Amino acid sequence: MSSVSQLEITEEEDGIRLDRWFKRRFPSLTHGRLEKLLRTGQVRVDGGRAKANARLATGQVVRVPPLGDALEPGPKAEKPVTEKDAEMIRACVIYKDKSVIILNKPAGLAVQGGTKTERHLDGMLDALTFEADERPRLVHRLDRDTSGVIVLARTARAAAALGRSFKQKDARKIYWALVIGTPSPRQGTINLALTKKEGPRAERVFAAEDDDEDAKHAITHYSVITSVSVKFSWVAFMPMTGRTHQIRAHASAIGSPIVGDGKYGGVDAHPGGEIPRQLHLHSRSLSIAHPDGGGKRIYIEAPLPPHMQKTWKLLGFDERDAKGAFDGLEV
């Protein structure tokens, strides 16, 4: 781009942040360079100065100065999705309309890539374009070993609306877990701030000290659905905040770590016998405002993954018993 351009925001881009708009339109432009262009007033929205986090609206015009070599070289090409992975991830779709796709994520599939993680959901999104012109976007995350409901936005506008719903705590998420022992009381709220600490193998979160300035408040409602003697309990968790490993850390903090969670429950989290060693935590359901507005809401449930189905059958759990799990608890 060798001259100033005036680019209009399309309907599909309505609600997107300015920095993310630049990332989409000019993927080789670094964030640092963009910030400098914003500070010096070379990038403007409808003639006025703007910040990187400004939300754009349909019809607004962005002034883009000459970017020169900022556009070279192009972004690193993504690895193509294998046909096997494409078939697998399409089979995970449990809801789809023109703005939203919802998956039942398999346990063990990372949401995004990282060190030594080459196979992940983000790298498979090209297989979920269907009839759309662009790949869907992640709007929240699940741990690698947690299965269940995960939402994708099919447009920038939908991504912005869904992001606001999660941020404003409009989204109501319920997780199912098998835990060691039985929490007491059987229904309640865990209000325990969490802080991140580096461990010998990976980062973990812990209950924070009162004077920890880096602590993040975290709130989780829970309800025991069924117990098996004093050994195990099927518990429904409703997180009201979205901290890393929140449910896992909170369950451990009240003395009932999640089965299969050696990271937070140690050896006690692996009872042995016929119960699989995998993490028994599943994002069961989600209620969220539809990004297209009109007062419509999406409610979706995800079937249990195979290893939890096996455990539920082994312990004689009936999924119908979870109905009204949080009745009587102010949420």
Coordinates of all heavy atoms in Angstrom, one line a residue, residues 127-188:
A127 N -12.0 -26.2 8.3 CA -12.9 -27.2 7.9 C -14.3 -26.9 8.3 O -15.3 -27.7 8.0 CB -12.5 -28.6 8.6
L128 N -14.5 -25.8 9.0 CA -15.9 -25.5 9.5 C -16.4 -24.2 8.9 O -17.3 -23.6 9.4 CB -15.8 -25.3 11.1 CG -15.4 -26.5 11.9 CD1 -15.2 -26.2 13.3 CD2 -16.4 -27.6 11.7
T129 N -15.9 -23.9 7.7 CA -16.5 -22.7 7.0 C -17.9 -23.0 6.4 O -18.7 -22.1 6.3 CB -15.5 -22.2 5.9 OG1 -15.3 -23.3 5.0 CG2 -14.2 -21.7 6.4
F130 N -18.1 -24.2 6.0 CA -19.3 -24.6 5.4 C -19.6 -23.7 4.2 O -18.8 -23.5 3.4 CB -20.5 -24.7 6.4 CG -20.2 -25.7 7.5 CD1 -19.9 -25.4 8.8 CD2 -20.3 -27.1 7.2 CE1 -19.6 -26.3 9.7 CE2 -20.0 -28.1 8.1 CZ -19.7 -27.7 9.4
E131 N -20.8 -23.0 4.2 CA -21.1 -22.2 3.1 C -20.6 -20.7 3.2 O -20.8 -19.9 2.3 CB -22.6 -22.1 2.8 CG -23.4 -21.3 3.9 CD -23.6 -22.1 5.2 OE1 -23.2 -23.3 5.3 OE2 -24.2 -21.5 6.1
A132 N -19.9 -20.4 4.3 CA -19.4 -19.0 4.6 C -18.1 -18.8 3.8 O -17.4 -19.7 3.4 CB -19.2 -18.8 6.1
D133 N -17.8 -17.5 3.7 CA -16.6 -17.1 3.0 C -15.3 -17.0 3.9 O -14.2 -17.0 3.5 CB -16.7 -15.7 2.4 CG -17.8 -15.7 1.2 OD1 -17.9 -16.8 0.6 OD2 -18.5 -14.7 1.1
E134 N -15.6 -17.1 5.2 CA -14.5 -16.9 6.2 C -14.5 -18.0 7.3 O -15.6 -18.6 7.5 CB -14.5 -15.5 6.8 CG -15.8 -15.1 7.5 CD -15.8 -13.7 7.9 OE1 -14.8 -13.3 8.6 OE2 -16.7 -13.0 7.6
R135 N -13.4 -18.3 7.9 CA -13.3 -19.3 8.9 C -14.0 -18.7 10.2 O -13.9 -17.5 10.5 CB -11.9 -19.7 9.1 CG -11.1 -18.7 9.9 CD -9.6 -18.9 9.7 NE -9.1 -20.3 10.0 CZ -8.4 -20.6 11.1 NH1 -8.3 -19.7 12.1 NH2 -8.0 -21.8 11.3
P136 N -14.6 -19.6 11.0 CA -15.2 -19.1 12.3 C -14.1 -18.8 13.3 O -12.9 -19.1 13.1 CB -16.0 -20.4 12.7 CG -15.3 -21.5 12.1 CD -14.8 -21.0 10.8
R137 N -14.5 -18.1 14.3 CA -13.5 -17.6 15.3 C -13.8 -18.2 16.7 O -15.0 -18.3 17.1 CB -13.6 -16.0 15.4 CG -13.4 -15.3 14.2 CD -14.0 -13.9 14.2 NE -13.6 -13.1 13.1 CZ -14.3 -13.1 11.9 NH1 -15.3 -14.0 11.8 NH2 -13.9 -12.4 10.9
L138 N -12.8 -18.5 17.4 CA -12.9 -18.9 18.8 C -13.4 -17.7 19.7 O -12.8 -16.6 19.5 CB -11.6 -19.4 19.4 CG -11.1 -20.7 18.7 CD1 -9.6 -20.9 19.0 CD2 -11.9 -21.9 19.2
V139 N -14.3 -17.9 20.6 CA -14.7 -16.7 21.4 C -14.5 -17.1 22.9 O -14.6 -16.2 23.8 CB -16.2 -16.3 21.2 CG1 -16.4 -15.7 19.8 CG2 -17.1 -17.5 21.4
H140 N -14.1 -18.3 23.2 CA -13.7 -18.7 24.6 C -12.9 -20.0 24.5 O -12.7 -20.5 23.4 CB -15.0 -18.8 25.5 CG -15.8 -20.0 25.2 ND1 -16.1 -21.0 26.1 CD2 -16.5 -20.4 24.1 CE1 -16.9 -21.9 25.5 NE2 -17.2 -21.5 24.3
R141 N -12.5 -20.5 25.6 CA -11.6 -21.7 25.6 C -12.1 -22.7 26.6 O -12.9 -22.5 27.5 CB -10.2 -21.3 25.9 CG -9.5 -20.3 25.0 CD -8.1 -20.0 25.4 NE -7.3 -21.2 25.4 CZ -6.0 -21.2 25.6 NH1 -5.4 -20.1 25.9 NH2 -5.3 -22.3 25.6
L142 N -11.6 -23.9 26.3 CA -11.7 -25.0 27.3 C -10.3 -25.6 27.4 O -9.5 -25.6 26.5 CB -12.6 -26.1 26.8 CG -14.1 -25.9 26.8 CD1 -14.9 -27.1 26.2 CD2 -14.7 -25.6 28.2
D143 N -10.0 -26.2 28.6 CA -8.8 -26.9 28.8 C -8.7 -28.1 27.8 O -9.7 -28.6 27.4 CB -8.6 -27.5 30.2 CG -8.5 -26.4 31.3 OD1 -8.3 -25.2 30.9 OD2 -8.7 -26.7 32.5
R144 N -7.5 -28.5 27.5 CA -7.2 -29.6 26.6 C -8.0 -30.8 27.0 O -8.7 -31.5 26.1 CB -5.8 -29.9 26.5 CG -5.4 -31.1 25.6 CD -4.1 -31.7 26.0 NE -3.0 -30.8 25.7 CZ -2.3 -30.8 24.6 NH1 -2.5 -31.6 23.7 NH2 -1.3 -29.9 24.5
D145 N -8.0 -31.2 28.3 CA -8.6 -32.4 28.7 C -10.0 -32.3 29.1 O -10.7 -33.3 29.5 CB -7.7 -33.0 29.8 CG -6.3 -33.4 29.4 OD1 -6.2 -33.9 28.3 OD2 -5.4 -33.2 30.1
T146 N -10.6 -31.1 29.0 CA -12.0 -30.9 29.3 C -12.8 -31.0 28.0 O -12.4 -30.4 27.0 CB -12.3 -29.5 29.9 OG1 -11.5 -29.4 31.1 CG2 -13.7 -29.3 30.3
S147 N -13.9 -31.8 28.1 CA -14.7 -32.0 26.9 C -15.9 -31.1 26.9 O -16.2 -30.4 28.0 CB -15.1 -33.4 26.8 OG -15.8 -33.8 28.0
G148 N -16.6 -31.0 25.8 CA -18.0 -30.4 25.9 C -18.1 -29.1 25.1 O -17.4 -28.8 24.1
V149 N -19.1 -28.3 25.5 CA -19.6 -27.2 24.7 C -18.5 -26.1 24.5 O -17.9 -25.6 25.5 CB -20.8 -26.5 25.4 CG1 -21.2 -25.2 24.7 CG2 -22.0 -27.5 25.4
I150 N -18.3 -25.8 23.2 CA -17.4 -24.6 22.9 C -18.0 -23.9 21.7 O -18.5 -24.5 20.8 CB -15.9 -25.1 22.7 CG1 -15.0 -23.8 22.6 CG2 -15.8 -25.9 21.4 CD1 -13.6 -24.1 22.7
V151 N -18.0 -22.6 21.8 CA -18.7 -21.7 20.9 C -17.8 -21.1 19.9 O -16.7 -20.6 20.3 CB -19.5 -20.6 21.6 CG1 -20.4 -19.8 20.6 CG2 -20.5 -21.3 22.6
L152 N -18.2 -21.1 18.6 CA -17.4 -20.4 17.5 C -18.4 -19.3 16.9 O -19.6 -19.6 16.7 CB -17.0 -21.4 16.5 CG -16.2 -22.6 16.9 CD1 -16.0 -23.5 15.7 CD2 -14.9 -22.2 17.6
A153 N -17.8 -18.2 16.6 CA -18.5 -17.1 15.9 C -18.2 -17.2 14.4 O -17.1 -17.3 14.0 CB -18.2 -15.8 16.4
R154 N -19.2 -17.0 13.6 CA -19.0 -17.2 12.1 C -18.7 -15.8 11.5 O -18.4 -15.8 10.3 CB -20.2 -17.8 11.5 CG -20.5 -19.2 12.1 CD -21.5 -20.0 11.2 NE -20.9 -20.4 10.0 CZ -21.6 -21.1 9.0 NH1 -22.9 -21.2 9.2 NH2 -21.0 -21.5 7.9
T155 N -18.9 -14.7 12.2 CA -18.7 -13.4 11.7 C -18.0 -12.5 12.8 O -18.1 -12.9 13.9 CB -19.9 -12.7 11.2 OG1 -20.8 -12.4 12.4 CG2 -20.7 -13.5 10.2
A156 N -17.4 -11.4 12.4 CA -16.8 -10.5 13.3 C -17.9 -9.9 14.2 O -17.6 -9.8 15.4 CB -16.0 -9.4 12.6
R157 N -19.0 -9.6 13.7 CA -20.1 -9.1 14.5 C -20.6 -10.0 15.5 O -20.8 -9.7 16.7 CB -21.2 -8.7 13.5 CG -22.4 -8.0 14.2 CD -23.4 -7.6 13.2 NE -24.5 -6.8 13.8 CZ -25.5 -6.3 13.1 NH1 -25.5 -6.3 11.8 NH2 -26.4 -5.6 13.7
A158 N -20.7 -11.3 15.1 CA -21.1 -12.3 16.1 C -20.1 -12.5 17.2 O -20.4 -12.7 18.4 CB -21.4 -13.6 15.4
A159 N -18.8 -12.5 16.8 CA -17.7 -12.6 17.8 C -17.7 -11.5 18.8 O -17.5 -11.8 20.0 CB -16.4 -12.6 17.0
A160 N -18.0 -10.3 18.4 CA -18.1 -9.2 19.3 C -19.2 -9.3 20.3 O -19.1 -9.1 21.5 CB -18.2 -7.9 18.5
A161 N -20.4 -9.7 19.7 CA -21.6 -9.9 20.6 C -21.4 -11.0 21.6 O -21.7 -10.9 22.8 CB -22.8 -10.1 19.7
L162 N -20.9 -12.1 21.1 CA -20.7 -13.3 22.0 C -19.6 -13.0 23.1 O -19.7 -13.3 24.2 CB -20.3 -14.5 21.2 CG -21.4 -15.1 20.3 CD1 -20.8 -16.1 19.3 CD2 -22.4 -15.8 21.2
G163 N -18.6 -12.3 22.6 CA -17.5 -11.8 23.6 C -18.1 -11.0 24.7 O -17.7 -11.2 25.9
R164 N -19.0 -10.1 24.3 CA -19.7 -9.2 25.4 C -20.5 -10.1 26.3 O -20.5 -9.8 27.5 CB -20.5 -8.2 24.7 CG -19.8 -7.0 24.1 CD -20.7 -5.9 23.7 NE -21.6 -6.2 22.7 CZ -21.5 -6.1 21.4 NH1 -20.3 -5.6 20.9 NH2 -22.4 -6.4 20.5
S165 N -21.2 -11.1 25.8 CA -22.0 -11.9 26.6 C -21.2 -12.7 27.7 O -21.6 -12.8 28.8 CB -22.8 -13.0 25.8 OG -23.8 -12.3 25.0
F166 N -20.0 -13.2 27.2 CA -19.2 -13.9 28.2 C -18.6 -12.9 29.2 O -18.5 -13.2 30.4 CB -18.0 -14.6 27.4 CG -18.4 -15.9 26.9 CD1 -18.6 -16.1 25.5 CD2 -18.6 -17.0 27.7 CE1 -19.0 -17.3 24.9 CE2 -19.0 -18.3 27.1 CZ -19.2 -18.4 25.8
K167 N -18.2 -11.7 28.7 CA -17.5 -10.7 29.6 C -18.5 -10.2 30.6 O -18.2 -10.0 31.8 CB -17.0 -9.6 28.8 CG -16.2 -8.6 29.6 CD -15.5 -7.6 28.7 CE -14.7 -6.6 29.5 NZ -14.0 -5.6 28.6
Q168 N -19.8 -10.0 30.2 CA -20.8 -9.5 31.1 C -21.5 -10.5 31.9 O -22.5 -10.2 32.5 CB -21.8 -8.7 30.2 CG -21.2 -7.4 29.6 CD -22.1 -6.8 28.5 OE1 -23.2 -7.3 28.3 NE2 -21.6 -5.8 27.8
K169 N -21.0 -11.7 31.8 CA -21.5 -12.9 32.6 C -23.0 -13.2 32.3 O -23.8 -13.6 33.1 CB -21.4 -12.6 34.1 CG -19.9 -12.4 34.5 CD -19.8 -12.2 36.0 CE -18.3 -12.1 36.4 NZ -17.6 -11.0 35.7
D170 N -23.4 -12.9 31.0 CA -24.7 -13.3 30.6 C -24.7 -14.8 30.2 O -25.8 -15.5 30.4 CB -25.1 -12.5 29.3 CG -26.3 -13.0 28.6 OD1 -27.4 -12.9 29.2 OD2 -26.2 -13.7 27.5
A171 N -23.6 -15.4 29.8 CA -23.6 -16.8 29.5 C -23.6 -17.6 30.7 O -22.9 -17.4 31.7 CB -22.3 -17.1 28.7
R172 N -24.5 -18.6 30.7 CA -24.7 -19.5 31.8 C -24.2 -20.9 31.5 O -24.7 -21.6 30.6 CB -26.2 -19.6 32.2 CG -26.5 -20.5 33.4 CD -25.9 -20.0 34.7 NE -26.1 -18.6 35.0 CZ -27.2 -18.2 35.7 NH1 -28.1 -19.1 36.1 NH2 -27.4 -16.9 36.0
K173 N -23.0 -21.3 32.0 CA -22.4 -22.5 31.7 C -22.5 -23.5 32.9 O -22.3 -23.1 34.0 CB -20.9 -22.3 31.4 CG -20.6 -21.4 30.2 CD -19.1 -21.1 30.0 CE -18.6 -20.1 31.1 NZ -17.2 -19.8 30.9
I174 N -22.8 -24.7 32.6 CA -22.8 -25.8 33.6 C -21.9 -26.9 33.2 O -21.9 -27.4 32.0 CB -24.3 -26.3 33.8 CG1 -25.1 -25.2 34.4 CG2 -24.3 -27.5 34.7 CD1 -26.6 -25.6 34.6
Y175 N -21.1 -27.3 34.1 CA -20.1 -28.4 33.9 C -20.5 -29.6 34.8 O -21.0 -29.4 35.9 CB -18.7 -28.0 34.3 CG -18.1 -27.0 33.4 CD1 -18.5 -25.7 33.4 CD2 -17.0 -27.4 32.6 CE1 -17.9 -24.7 32.5 CE2 -16.4 -26.4 31.7 CZ -16.8 -25.1 31.7 OH -16.2 -24.2 30.9
W176 N -20.3 -30.8 34.3 CA -20.5 -32.0 35.1 C -19.1 -32.6 35.4 O -18.2 -32.6 34.5 CB -21.3 -33.1 34.3 CG -22.7 -32.8 34.3 CD1 -23.4 -31.7 34.8 CD2 -23.7 -33.6 33.6 NE1 -24.8 -31.8 34.6 CE2 -25.0 -33.0 33.8 CE3 -23.7 -34.8 32.9 CZ2 -26.2 -33.5 33.3 CZ3 -24.9 -35.3 32.3 CH2 -26.1 -34.6 32.6
A177 N -19.0 -33.1 36.6 CA -17.7 -33.7 37.0 C -17.9 -34.8 38.0 O -18.9 -34.9 38.7 CB -16.8 -32.7 37.7
L178 N -17.0 -35.8 38.0 CA -16.9 -36.8 39.0 C -15.8 -36.4 39.9 O -14.7 -36.2 39.5 CB -16.6 -38.2 38.4 CG -16.6 -39.3 39.4 CD1 -18.0 -39.6 40.0 CD2 -16.0 -40.6 38.8
V179 N -16.1 -36.3 41.2 CA -15.1 -35.8 42.2 C -14.8 -36.9 43.2 O -15.7 -37.8 43.4 CB -15.5 -34.5 42.9 CG1 -15.8 -33.4 41.8 CG2 -16.6 -34.7 43.8
I180 N -13.7 -36.8 43.9 CA -13.4 -37.6 45.0 C -14.1 -37.2 46.3 O -14.1 -36.0 46.6 CB -11.9 -37.6 45.3 CG1 -11.1 -38.1 44.1 CG2 -11.6 -38.5 46.5 CD1 -11.3 -39.5 43.7
G181 N -14.8 -38.1 47.0 CA -15.5 -37.7 48.2 C -16.8 -37.0 47.9 O -17.3 -37.0 46.8
T182 N -17.3 -36.3 48.9 CA -18.5 -35.5 48.8 C -18.4 -34.1 49.4 O -18.1 -34.0 50.6 CB -19.7 -36.2 49.5 OG1 -19.9 -37.5 48.9 CG2 -21.0 -35.4 49.3
P183 N -18.5 -33.1 48.6 CA -18.4 -31.7 49.1 C -19.4 -31.5 50.2 O -20.5 -32.0 50.1 CB -18.6 -30.8 47.9 CG -18.3 -31.7 46.7 CD -18.7 -33.1 47.1
S184 N -19.0 -30.7 51.2 CA -20.0 -30.3 52.3 C -19.9 -28.8 52.5 O -18.8 -28.2 52.6 CB -19.6 -31.0 53.6 OG -20.5 -30.7 54.6
P185 N -21.1 -28.2 52.4 CA -22.4 -28.7 52.2 C -22.6 -29.2 50.8 O -21.7 -29.0 49.9 CB -23.3 -27.5 52.4 CG -22.5 -26.3 52.1 CD -21.1 -26.7 52.5
R186 N -23.7 -29.9 50.5 CA -23.9 -30.5 49.2 C -24.2 -29.5 48.1 O -24.2 -29.9 46.9 CB -25.0 -31.6 49.3 CG -24.6 -32.8 50.2 CD -25.8 -33.8 50.3 NE -26.1 -34.4 49.0 CZ -25.5 -35.5 48.6 NH1 -24.5 -36.1 49.3 NH2 -25.8 -36.1 47.4
Q187 N -24.6 -28.3 48.5 CA -24.8 -27.3 47.5 C -24.3 -26.0 48.1 O -24.5 -25.7 49.3 CB -26.3 -27.1 47.2 CG -26.7 -26.2 46.1 CD -28.2 -26.0 45.9 OE1 -28.8 -25.4 46.7 NE2 -28.7 -26.7 44.9
G188 N -23.6 -25.2 47.3 CA -23.0 -24.0 47.8 C -22.3 -23.2 46.8 O -22.3 -23.5 45.6

